[in-house]
Amino acid sequence: MNKITAAITSVNSWFPEYVLNNEELCKMVDTDNEWIMSRSGILERRILKEVGKGTSDMAVEAVKGLLEKRGISAEEVDMLICATVTPDMQFPATANVISDKLGIKNAFSFDMNAACSGFIYALIVGSKFIESGSHKKVIVIGADKMSSIVDYTDRTTCILFGDGAAAVLLEPNNEGLGIIDSLLKTDGSGRVHLHQKAGGSVKPATHETIDAREHYIYQEGQPVFKFAVKYMADVAAEILEKNNLTGDDISWLVPHQANIRIIEATAKRIGIGMDKVMLNIEKRGNTTNATIPSCLAGWETKLKKGDKLILAAFGGGFTWGSIYLKWAY
Ligand code: UT7
């Protein structure tokens, strides 16, 4: 009998309606469309405006569509992971809130925090439960309401991020399709360049932390850019080499969408033309955990059974990694 692999059998994304374009940002901070487009490749992003709505509300919409597409009921799901850096609240896990709102009663669920690499970390964790035979229907979500931690007076970060959610279903496969290999990495010393200063146990919220705007994203763009270009390209090259593949063997590169220049450097490094790179950064911005699964959702109709995909991400932590998978439907 063939080894059981974990394959993605359904994918779906959901984005809020409100479009925050570069023109509107120009009225909020000292910036211009030409700078934003040439430095990041972002034209517009979606923002969840409704008061009282959070990450779980977007994830619920993404998962609802996912289950409908696959024709399965909420009761059949046996595990659910939500990768997010913008949970509904510090505890309990947003994954639990999502399960409750959808009537997913027979699953254990938890959150994964690995910043922009969270979705690929969560996908690998979920895949191990499928491969072991203990679980049969695992939902992996990447969802973030980045607008809840973006400082719209900081022109260096507010132009980058957007809100959104996407989810995949993992199921056992015995045709050798699905997740074949992965490389996941962490270097905690990188945390100084990208983090949220207050709101955790070291520095709980006070009037002072709020006045100092310490509950927003703090990012030193240049060092993060430098590490992202190197590490995302290196890890994608490493996984190809490990699996005796070249860029010509790959159907699609599915990169984290932080900056078009980081993506181009990764594609070039592994010898893949930009026509084989999934991109939604121009219209969605950096949606953190939702970037990779929402690209898969956007390209679902173009994907063919057996297509070889390389997923690659880099993000806060630092965290980074790559997954090699064969599309299963
Ligand atoms: O997904 C998580 C991981 N995050 C990333 O991968 C992000 C990595 N970093 C980046 O993508 C880039 O560093 C940015 C897009 C954030 C910035 O691009 P950059 O080419 O690194 O620009 P910079 O920070 O070196 O800034 C260049 C200049 C500066 O002015 P001076 O000092 O040269 O006079 C900035 O003050 O551009 C200025 N600047 C802006 N100008 C217009 C910074 N932000 C803006 C802005 N509009 N929004």
Side-chain angles (χ1 to χ4, degrees), residues 14 16-18 47-54 57 145:
W14 189 88
E17 264 174 39
Y18 190 84
I47 303 294
L48 185 64
K49 285 270 191 183
E50 287 90 335
V51 176
K53 297 272 182 191
D57 297 289
K145 184 183 169 185

Side-chain angles (χ1 to χ4, degrees), residues 260-322:
I260 189 73
R261 293 180 290 148
I262 299 171
I263 296 170
E264 284 166 353
T266 304
K268 192 172 169 199
R269 172 73 190 282
I270 62 172
I272 285 184
M274 287 303 284
D275 56 324
K276 292 206 290 181
V277 179
M278 294 188 192
L279 287 174
N280 66 11
I281 187 169
E282 186 174 331
K283 296 275 188 175
R284 302 289 187 240
N286 182 350
T287 53
T288 304
N289 282 286
T291 60
I292 289 178
S294 67
C295 277
L296 291 174
W299 265 256
E300 188 187 19
T301 55
K302 294 195 187 88
L303 286 163
K304 293 187 295 293
K305 191 171 174 176
D307 274 358
K308 293 177 175 147
L309 273 58
I310 296 291
L311 280 45
F314 178 88
F318 293 139
T319 57
W320 67 104
S322 191

Side-chain angles (χ1 to χ4, degrees), residues 60-244:
V60 159
E61 295 304 323
V63 174
K64 244 190 234 165
L66 182 82
L67 296 177
E68 270 168 32
K69 271 186 181 177
R70 186 71 182 134
I72 64 166
S73 69
E75 285 82 16
E76 291 174 72
V77 177
D78 47 20
M79 178 174 176
L80 183 145
I81 313 174
C82 179
T84 186
V85 292
T86 51
D88 281 15
M89 55 197 90
Q90 199 146 353
F91 77 91
T94 300
N96 306 163
V97 181
I98 297 164
S99 292
D100 179 51
K101 285 180 177 172
L102 285 164
I104 295 177
K105 294 184 192 326
N106 299 315
F108 81 106
S109 57
F110 61 93
D111 286 359
M112 165 73 66
N113 181 346
C116 296
S117 309
F119 178 77
I120 63 167
Y121 274 43
L123 196 62
I124 293 305
V125 171
S127 76
K128 299 300 171 193
F129 284 79
I130 298 277
E131 287 167 13
S132 75
S134 67
H135 289 69
K136 302 272 182 281
K137 288 190 169 44
V138 175
I139 289 180
V140 182
I141 303 163
D144 272 300
K145 184 183 169 185
M146 295 306 290
S147 61
S148 66
I149 55 165
V150 164
D151 182 351
Y152 287 99
T153 66
D154 173 10
R155 69 174 183 169
T156 68
T157 54
C158 74
I159 53 129
L160 299 171
F161 296 98
D163 302 339
V168 302
L169 180 68
L170 286 174
E171 292 185 87
N173 183 284
N174 55 19
E175 296 176 280
L177 301 170
I179 294 168
I180 308 296
D181 199 10
S182 66
L183 289 167
L184 301 177
K185 313 214 179 196
T186 306
D187 176 0
S189 69
R191 70 190 182 281
V192 295
H193 303 296
L194 178 52
H195 58 267
Q196 198 174 351
K197 292 199 180 295
S201 58
V202 169
K203 214 180 203 190
T206 60
H207 287 292
E208 288 72 29
T209 62
I210 290 171
D211 290 344
R213 310 185 79 78
E214 289 180 338
H215 296 269
Y216 295 120
I217 298 163
Y218 171 82
Q219 176 171 258
E220 296 160 5
Q222 275 190 10
V224 177
F225 183 88
K226 203 179 75 190
F227 284 110
V229 162
K230 176 160 171 46
Y231 289 170
M232 199 161 108
D234 278 357
V235 77
E238 195 182 336
I239 205 160
L240 284 190
E241 198 180 329
K242 195 170 162 226
N243 289 279
N244 298 314

Side-chain angles (χ1 to χ4, degrees), residues 242-259:
K242 195 170 162 226
N243 289 279
N244 298 314
L245 297 165
T246 70
D248 293 338
D249 300 313
I250 301 306
S251 318
W252 296 100
L253 170 66
V254 196
H256 170 54
Q257 315 273 310
N259 186 315

